[in-house]
Amino acid sequence: CTQSSKMMSENLNEHITCKLEEMVKKYKSTSDQWRAFGYQKAIQVLRKHPTQISSWEEARALPGVGTRLADKIWEIAESGELRKLNEFNADEDIKVIELFTNVWGAGAHTARQWFQQGFRTLDDLHTKAKLTHQQKIGLKHYEDILDRMPRTEAAAIEQVVREAAEFLAPGVIAQCCGSYRRGKPTCGDVDVLVTHPDGKSHKGLFSKLLAKLKESGILTDDLVTAEDNGNQKKYLGVCRLPGENQKHRRIDIIVVPYDEYACALVYFTGSAHLNRSLRLLAKKSGMSLSEHSLNTGVIRKGNEKVFEGTPLPTPTEESVFRHLGVPYRPPEERDH
Ligand code: DCP
Ligand code: MG
Ligand code: MN
């Protein structure tokens, strides 16, 4: 609301009509036409009002102004502020920042930076923002990536990965972990864990598997092509099942050596909350749990590990829970 010069304007309540005009915009954008209309009528009246509003009663006496609108007018007259408007403004900002935070590869910091650079829509980002490779993919599949898939679809994707892995290394284990294994009806992504019981066939499988999946066309975009984590290899990308009307889905693939299988399975099944609890529990008993192993005899100085400890044998998930001294929990009971 630009202040018009005193010469041009007879509006003695401009400080009030300014705020009310902003409210009109908010209500119009939230499709609350009825409120917008009420505010507009009050603005008309206030503009022609011969004196500055100096009491609640004076506002209430204006034609078309009820008690609620009188409250608002008097609040502005008294304090120069309208809390409701501030709330709206804050919400709008938060909404935009949330919109931006949901671009894969953009954190809260980047989202805020984009906001501060004046961007307000995904189209702004598309046309004006400097984007990383990951953010471009994230933006391209914005709606699809935010959408959760039915677990049947996760199962179908798991099946495609399993068949490709089985072709390359017969006897392979390829299983969907994450929310799928915890029995959730919908999944944010597909988390496929790959290993081989012979203890050696997992070697070299990672790149061959990705090449095969790309050849088949199921992998459409790469986010992280190869993250090396000790003896584990991780891929993060986007996939899509063949056929019409299929959405793009996030997929994570981890290939691990068989002796790390149980700990990787516990980790990759989650939930993230359970993982934090188990790690804390391990720490309290001088152990340390990771996606690789459960170590005992760990020596810590404050928060720092002075001695890594030695890995316990963990052939199964049950053995991990047993070493930690907690009752085994089936995947369906690992959400809290
Ligand atoms: N994980 C973790 N800590 C994190 C992220 C992940 O321990 N910060 C582990 C536990 C998760 C698993 O990895 O269950 C898979 O991560 P996802 O982000 O795919 O989470 P979920 O599969 O549990 O849920 P969603 O359905 O949203 O994918
Ligand atoms: Mg998941
Ligand atoms: Mn995942």
Side-chain angles (χ1 to χ4, degrees):
C1 177
T2 49
Q3 299 271 321
S4 45
S5 80
K6 280 225 168 74
M7 296 285 283
M8 299 270 296
S9 171
E10 298 166 6
N11 181 2
L12 299 174
N13 292 289
E14 200 164 32
H15 55 302
I16 298 173
T17 56
C18 270
K19 299 269 184 206
L20 296 185
E21 262 160 358
E22 284 185 61
M23 291 294 279
V24 170
K25 279 187 216 153
K26 297 294 176 197
Y27 282 132
K28 277 189 173 163
S29 70
T30 58
S31 304
D32 198 340
Q33 299 299 339
W34 186 80
R35 274 207 177 80
F37 185 68
Y39 274 74
Q40 268 169 324
K41 266 178 45 180
I43 292 163
Q44 302 287 328
V45 174
L46 271 169
R47 281 205 181 116
K48 292 185 206 137
H49 195 68
T51 58
Q52 269 198 16
I53 300 292
S54 60
S55 71
W56 182 88
E57 286 74 14
E58 192 181 353
R60 176 66 182 82
L62 297 169
V65 173
T67 55
R68 297 230 188 141
L69 203 40
D71 284 345
K72 301 269 193 304
I73 291 169
W74 184 236
E75 188 187 340
I76 302 166
E78 247 196 330
S79 70
E81 290 289 332
L82 184 56
R83 282 164 300 166
K84 185 79 191 163
L85 180 62
N86 294 343
E87 263 172 48
F88 270 138
N89 279 329
D91 274 4
E92 286 297 306
D93 295 0
I94 288 163
K95 261 187 257 169
V96 173
I97 290 166
E98 274 173 1
L99 179 83
F100 291 170
T101 310
N102 284 328
V103 174
W104 205 93
H109 179 73
T110 305
R112 211 162 299 138
Q113 269 186 334
W114 284 335
F115 184 86
Q116 276 159 7
Q117 284 163 21
F119 307 143
R120 292 293 178 272
T121 64
L122 295 182
D123 195 58
D124 286 345
L125 297 186
H126 194 77
T127 53
K128 295 174 220 157
K130 214 179 248 177
L131 302 169
T132 65
H133 166 75
Q134 292 181 344
Q135 291 159 356
K136 279 179 196 160
I137 306 296
L139 199 54
K140 182 164 74 164
H141 301 305
Y142 188 85
E143 295 294 336
D144 280 6
I145 287 178
L146 273 188
D147 188 43
R148 296 180 70 83
M149 74 192 95
R151 60 180 287 106
T152 49
E153 191 176 342
I157 294 167
E158 174 197 43
Q159 186 61 20
V160 173
V161 178
R162 183 182 293 140
E163 276 166 19
E166 175 65 27
F167 176 84
L168 296 166
V172 78
I173 296 171
Q175 68 185 129
C176 193
C177 301
S179 50
Y180 177 81
R181 188 161 179 255
R182 299 200 309 278
K184 300 285 120 188
T186 64
C187 306
D189 68 352
V190 184
D191 303 293
V192 189
L193 179 60
V194 179
T195 188
H196 201 291
D198 72 6
K200 55 182 198 287
S201 295
H202 69 281
K203 288 179 192 164
L205 182 57
F206 183 77
S207 50
K208 277 188 264 174
L209 179 58
L210 292 180
K212 183 143 187 70
L213 292 172
K214 273 179 196 176
E215 195 187 287
S216 76
I218 187 170
L219 293 182
T220 62
D221 303 271
D222 300 331
L223 291 165
V224 178
T225 44
E227 193 178 272
D228 279 301
N229 176 3
N231 293 321
Q232 302 188 3
K233 281 189 186 302
K234 187 170 192 173
Y235 170 85
L236 289 79
V238 180
C239 68
R240 185 173 58 170
L241 286 169
E244 294 213 348
N245 299 322
Q246 292 290 347
K247 290 192 177 182
H248 288 85
R249 304 300 192 186
R250 275 274 299 107
I251 183 167
D252 294 339
I253 300 174
I254 305 190
V255 178
V256 310
Y258 195 63
D259 58 359
E260 297 185 8
Y261 176 45
C263 286
L265 189 56
V266 168
Y267 169 79
F268 216 27
T269 299
S271 65
H273 183 261
L274 180 88
N275 288 347
R276 278 193 293 275
S277 310
L278 292 180
R279 281 171 193 224
L280 201 67
L281 198 71
K283 203 173 171 181
K284 280 180 186 162
S285 328
M287 293 188 268
S288 99
L289 177 67
S290 72
E291 61 271 42
H292 300 281
S293 61
L294 176 62
N295 289 11
T296 189
V298 179
I299 301 169
R300 291 182 172 87
K301 214 170 189 176
N303 249 341
E304 223 177 305
K305 270 187 218 167
V306 181
F307 179 60
E308 290 287 316
T310 47
L312 289 162
T314 52
T316 61
E317 282 189 311
E318 283 84 348
S319 69
V320 175
F321 283 81
R322 199 180 323 116
H323 286 306
L324 290 171
V326 287
Y328 175 73
R329 278 206 232 172
E332 301 76 29
E333 289 167 26
R334 295 187 198 171
D335 266 273
H336 32 81

